[in-house]
Amino acid sequence: MNKKISVIGAGNVGATTAQRLFDKNYSEIALIDIAEGIAEGKALDILQSGPILGLDNYISGSSDYNITKNSDIVVITSGIARKPGMSRDDLLKINMNIVSEVTQKSLEKSPDALILVVTNPLDAMAMQAYKVSGKKPNEVFGMAGVLDSARFTTFISQSENTSVNSISSNVLGGHGDTMVPLLNNSYIGGKSLSESINKETLDQLVERTKNGGAEIVNYLKTGSAFYAPSASIVKMVDAISTNSKIILPTTAYLQGEYGIKNLYFGVPAKLGSNGIEEIIEYDLSEYEREELKKSAEAVNETVKVMKNL
Ligand code: APR
């Protein structure tokens, strides 16, 4: 793939993303981390898998943004996890500053790059990157819905003993407890979930999806999910790099769609070489509309807190 991708943050999500991109034949990848040596070491390790895989791709790592020059897409995974004694607002402030700094530094080297934000809290961080970037709304977006929908699909597949390939699920809204797994606009074998699965089972699947991230954190004890998140990032990067026009749940800047204004929020979006090429509006049930509204209020609260920090 003849596109240059920079991944900022060489932690679990960033490094796994870089590895997946390398394995998928992206010819030029730059990995950045503030911690001296981390990005260099991981990039060199990935590069040395080239001869084994028969791939001549190039990946480099550094704390110096010069290696990111002329990137087509910048993926932001840098941030810190909440530590004992740290309030949510403290974390918000730290990650907000990190996202601002890395967005600015990346754009100095690649003014035309599209920005894909992954750092949590996702919707608020996408808003922050958009604000400091000075870019158009279609050029800055976030990854959440692809992951949340993949989790929903996994649980439906296990429950209904059906291939993941026969399930198409959609999780919209904010990336957190208020996310909205759609039941009328998600399908198993072409039939909507609400038609195919009984309510009690569906409620359990929805609940498990909403807690999908926490379930993994509870197992890992330190750190959070990174295999499915990195696969989700690469799916979005692929869509843009190949100008595929695939419709994926994407955290996008809304300007009235779904009745929501001036907020980053998870909605179906067509992705292509310009980033977000179209936001798709589904017919939602009254219940889904209400749930989306609640989710938007929750995201708005975080954005408000961020403004006052
Ligand atoms: N510039 C560059 N890198 C930074 C900066 C900065 N200013 N601040 C922190 N980092 C780096 C850290 O040094 C670390 O290597 O970001 C990396 C984050 O990695 P992890 O702690 O392993 O976190 P990870 O699991 O990769 O998650 C990253 O993605 O899914 C979200 O919630 C998750 O917000 C988190 C992000």
Side-chain angles (χ1 to χ4, degrees):
M1 187 79 61
N2 208 8
K3 294 278 176 192
K4 179 166 178 177
I5 317 294
S6 286
V7 181
I8 318 299
N12 280 337
V13 176
T16 315
T17 299
Q19 184 202 351
R20 288 190 188 276
L21 291 170
F22 186 90
D23 291 359
K24 282 203 87 175
N25 227 348
Y26 278 80
S27 55
E28 199 176 353
I29 304 156
L31 186 60
I32 292 280
D33 203 284
I34 198 167
E36 215 52 59
I38 296 286
E40 284 89 335
K42 291 189 180 181
L44 187 58
D45 192 9
I46 294 171
L47 185 67
Q48 289 165 358
S49 65
I52 302 156
L53 302 171
L55 297 173
D56 278 309
N57 301 329
Y58 182 65
I59 175 166
S60 61
S62 182
S63 301
D64 182 339
Y65 282 73
N66 274 323
I67 64 163
T68 67
K69 207 160 184 264
N70 295 329
S71 297
D72 296 290
I73 306 173
V74 173
V75 181
I76 298 180
T77 76
S78 49
I80 64 154
R82 193 160 155 199
K83 302 200 172 90
M86 188 186 274
S87 74
R88 268 181 200 279
D89 290 357
D90 292 342
L91 179 74
L92 188 62
K93 189 166 185 183
I94 294 171
N95 280 351
M96 185 178 118
N97 289 336
I98 291 175
V99 167
S100 298
E101 175 206 318
V102 307
T103 302
Q104 277 158 347
K105 285 187 174 166
S106 300
L107 289 176
E108 272 167 31
K109 304 292 174 192
S110 310
D112 297 330
L114 299 171
I115 309 276
L116 174 56
V117 181
V118 182
T119 306
N120 276 313
L122 193 269
D123 310 86
M125 293 303 114
M127 178 74 119
Q128 186 64 17
Y130 168 62
K131 272 205 204 144
V132 300
S133 72
K135 293 185 83 76
K136 294 190 214 125
N138 62 296
E139 297 172 330
V140 182
F141 36 88
M143 187 292 290
V146 173
L147 172 63
D148 296 329
S149 302
R151 287 179 173 150
F152 195 28
T153 294
T154 303
F155 302 146
I156 297 165
S157 159
Q158 289 179 326
S159 159
E160 303 306 302
N161 194 22
T162 301
S163 164
V164 294
N165 294 310
S166 297
I167 300 166
S168 143
S169 84
N170 267 302
V171 178
L172 306 186
H175 185 51
D177 310 344
T178 61
M179 69 178 75
V180 186
L182 299 184
L183 306 182
N184 295 335
N185 286 288
S186 296
Y187 302 92
I188 174 164
K191 277 172 82 176
S192 74
L193 296 186
S194 48
E195 274 179 287
S196 327
I197 306 177
N198 70 59
K199 184 168 179 321
E200 194 189 342
T201 308
L202 265 182
D203 285 348
Q204 284 165 3
L205 296 171
V206 164
E207 214 35 47
R208 192 169 175 201
T209 302
K210 288 185 176 183
N211 294 316
E215 184 177 355
I216 290 173
V217 169
N218 285 339
Y219 281 122
L220 296 180
K221 307 279 188 285
T222 57
S224 47
F226 55 99
Y227 292 113
S230 55
S232 308
I233 295 166
V234 172
K235 183 150 184 151
M236 294 181 78
V237 169
D238 272 348
I240 295 158
S241 303
T242 61
N243 193 21
S244 77
K245 320 282 186 193
I246 189 174
I247 296 166
L248 294 176
T250 301
T251 300
Y253 190 64
L254 298 189
Q255 292 163 295
E257 300 88 346
Y258 291 93
I260 298 163
K261 247 189 161 163
N262 304 332
L263 199 68
Y264 268 86
F265 205 56
V267 291
K270 190 184 282 180
L271 299 182
S273 48
N274 297 316
I276 294 182
E277 307 214 333
E278 189 185 341
I279 290 173
I280 315 295
E281 286 200 68
Y282 290 155
D283 274 340
L284 297 179
S285 66
E286 195 50 40
Y287 176 74
E288 287 168 339
R289 273 197 183 277
E290 275 307 305
E291 290 295 291
L292 271 190
K293 208 171 141 203
K294 276 190 226 158
S295 186
E297 278 160 14
V299 173
N300 223 344
E301 276 309 306
T302 312
V303 171
K304 266 196 225 149
V305 171
M306 209 164 66
K307 275 187 192 148
N308 295 323
L309 286 175

